Amino acid sequence: MAHDHHDHDHHHGQEPPSDMALRVKALESLLVEKGLVDPAALDAIVEHYEHKVGPRNGARVVAKAWSDPEFRRRLLDDASDAIAELGYLGRQGEHMVAVENTPEVHNLVVCTLCSCYPWPVLGLPPTWYKSSPYRSRAVIDPRGVLAEFGTELPEDVEVRVWDSTAEVRYLVIPQRPAGSEGLDEEALAAMVTRDGMIGTARL
Ligand code: FE
């Protein structure tokens, strides 16, 4: 297949198809025509990431990190290994890095080049994540982008922007919400949003 960096760029929402989307479509048609791939198998892969994976896997990782200090430590030391403990393995998630929000630091994830995203924990990326305004502005003006998402950060909070690549994918560990003491992992996971794990939202 083509360069690994782009093989997940499937959907472009309302935007006209990009050159890359057209190339992917043409390649898919050719492979199907030559009998090299089964279109049902491709649909099954997309279906799996859109509906079966989704951000709830990431939410369970975050809830466990909030509940289990030893797991949190392992997650921050080597996120790929810690996430694998929970069984969330798969393509586009081989080299994970977890970054933790604190009262002093807020983390924001982008892929400036295309749309790299940690599939095994967050599913497929939302359309805005793949849009060129988000990709360019998240780096140039992260506070402005966050404000547009309704996330106003105090001046003294440092914003760190992480640029995903084919090699490294990031997961933001949001701050545990006040008042969540005593909740079990399932209830905690229900509080964790996809945008909280990309960093465009706070919980
Ligand atoms: Fe990318």
Side-chain angles (χ1 to χ4, degrees):
M1 282 294 280
H3 192 291
D4 184 56
H5 202 75
H6 289 111
D7 69 353
H8 55 284
D9 205 81
H10 294 287
H11 297 288
H12 286 264
Q14 308 90 331
E15 295 169 41
S18 66
D19 182 56
M20 184 55 63
L22 291 173
R23 283 166 180 273
V24 168
K25 201 69 209 160
L27 185 59
E28 181 185 333
S29 301
L30 185 65
L31 291 170
V32 169
E33 191 181 312
K34 299 279 181 194
L36 293 173
V37 299
D38 174 0
L42 289 181
D43 288 347
I45 291 170
V46 172
E47 159 78 17
H48 176 76
Y49 283 103
E50 276 187 339
H51 300 294
K52 298 206 175 78
V53 176
R56 69 181 194 280
N57 287 359
R60 290 197 193 101
V61 172
V62 170
K64 188 165 178 63
W66 286 343
S67 310
D68 177 346
E70 286 303 312
F71 179 79
R72 172 182 164 275
R73 174 64 48 207
R74 292 199 295 282
L75 184 65
L76 292 172
D77 283 349
D78 186 334
S80 305
D81 272 4
I83 290 168
E85 287 176 30
L86 302 186
Y88 304 141
L89 297 163
R91 298 170 66 237
Q92 315 295 337
E94 293 91 347
H95 303 290
M96 291 292 307
V97 171
V99 289
E100 185 179 54
N101 289 347
T102 68
E104 294 80 32
V105 175
H106 182 86
N107 295 285
L108 178 66
V109 179
V110 64
C111 173
T112 55
L113 198 57
C114 52
S115 56
C116 294
Y117 194 71
W119 294 10
V121 284
L122 294 185
L124 296 178
T127 301
W128 56 258
Y129 183 87
K130 300 185 283 187
S131 73
S132 76
Y134 178 75
R135 285 159 37 205
S136 54
R137 292 192 49 233
V139 175
I140 299 165
D141 178 22
R143 281 177 191 275
V145 168
L146 286 168
E148 283 168 29
F149 277 92
T151 303
E152 304 272 0
L153 291 176
E155 280 298 317
D156 60 347
V157 174
E158 179 194 343
V159 180
R160 292 184 189 159
V161 180
W162 301 88
D163 192 0
S164 309
T165 67
E167 297 301 320
V168 180
R169 311 294 165 99
Y170 298 93
L171 179 71
V172 175
I173 308 173
Q175 281 187 266
R176 182 170 173 159
S180 63
E181 298 79 11
L183 296 181
D184 65 16
E185 277 186 37
E186 199 180 326
L188 288 171
M191 304 179 87
V192 182
T193 62
R194 177 196 69 195
D195 290 1
M197 294 180 284
I198 300 173
T200 49
R202 296 214 285 184
L203 304 186

